[in-house]
Amino acid sequence: MTDNGATGRPVRDIADISELSPLQQGLLYEQLAQPGLGIYVEQLELEFSGTMHPEHFERAWQLVVDRHPILRTSFHWRKNGTAVQVVHGSAELPLETLDWRDLDGRTQRERLRASLDADRAEG
């Protein structure tokens, strides 16, 4: 595959390409029909105690991405209007670190809710 159909840039580091299953086609259709709702976005909140080492946390999640192909999968349109799923050989974990330790609990919760809402709206 030389073109991802969206940006015109070459797609590299491909481990596999396959057609979408009927269920995937339906999920994609629903997501595209209702953009911004984040109907298939799964979010979870974790609370840790003790000393946090962000670099260790990030490395652990990168290992999970490296291990599981589904976390390295993207969807691309073909020129004929159909979509395929592309499993990439590698993918960099997109991690954003927000440090709100200097804020009170209420403000932290408000910022977290706003951040999660914005992330869900992005899809």
Side-chain angles (χ1 to χ4, degrees):
M1 179 177 242
T2 58
D3 181 3
N4 74 10
T7 64
R9 294 184 307 223
V11 177
R12 295 182 178 89
D13 194 22
I14 295 173
D16 192 20
I17 299 175
S18 59
E19 302 290 328
L20 299 185
S21 70
L23 178 60
Q24 288 173 313
Q25 291 175 22
L27 294 172
L28 181 59
Y29 172 81
E30 289 180 19
Q31 177 65 31
L32 294 174
Q34 300 179 63
L37 293 182
I39 55 178
Y40 296 111
V41 174
E42 290 294 326
Q43 298 172 320
L44 69 118
E45 299 173 34
L46 304 171
E47 187 173 323
F48 298 97
S49 61
T51 304
M52 177 67 171
H53 297 280
E55 64 280 0
H56 296 164
F57 182 79
E58 182 174 1
R59 179 69 183 134
W61 275 107
Q62 184 63 57
L63 289 170
V64 172
V65 170
D66 294 345
R67 173 74 173 94
H68 298 283
I70 191 63
L71 299 176
R72 300 186 316 273
T73 300
S74 59
F75 297 89
H76 300 268
W77 292 107
R78 290 198 269 178
K79 292 180 182 181
N80 68 3
T82 62
V84 292
Q85 59 182 336
V86 176
V87 179
H88 302 272
S90 62
E92 186 176 330
L93 177 70
L95 185 68
E96 177 183 14
T97 302
L98 305 170
D99 187 349
W100 297 328
R101 289 178 288 187
D102 61 331
L103 303 175
D104 63 85
R106 180 176 181 212
T107 305
Q108 288 177 356
R109 286 187 298 278
E110 289 170 354
R111 293 239 181 128
L112 176 60
R113 181 56 38 214
S115 178
L116 291 172
D117 289 347
D119 186 59
R120 180 178 297 281
E122 276 187 42

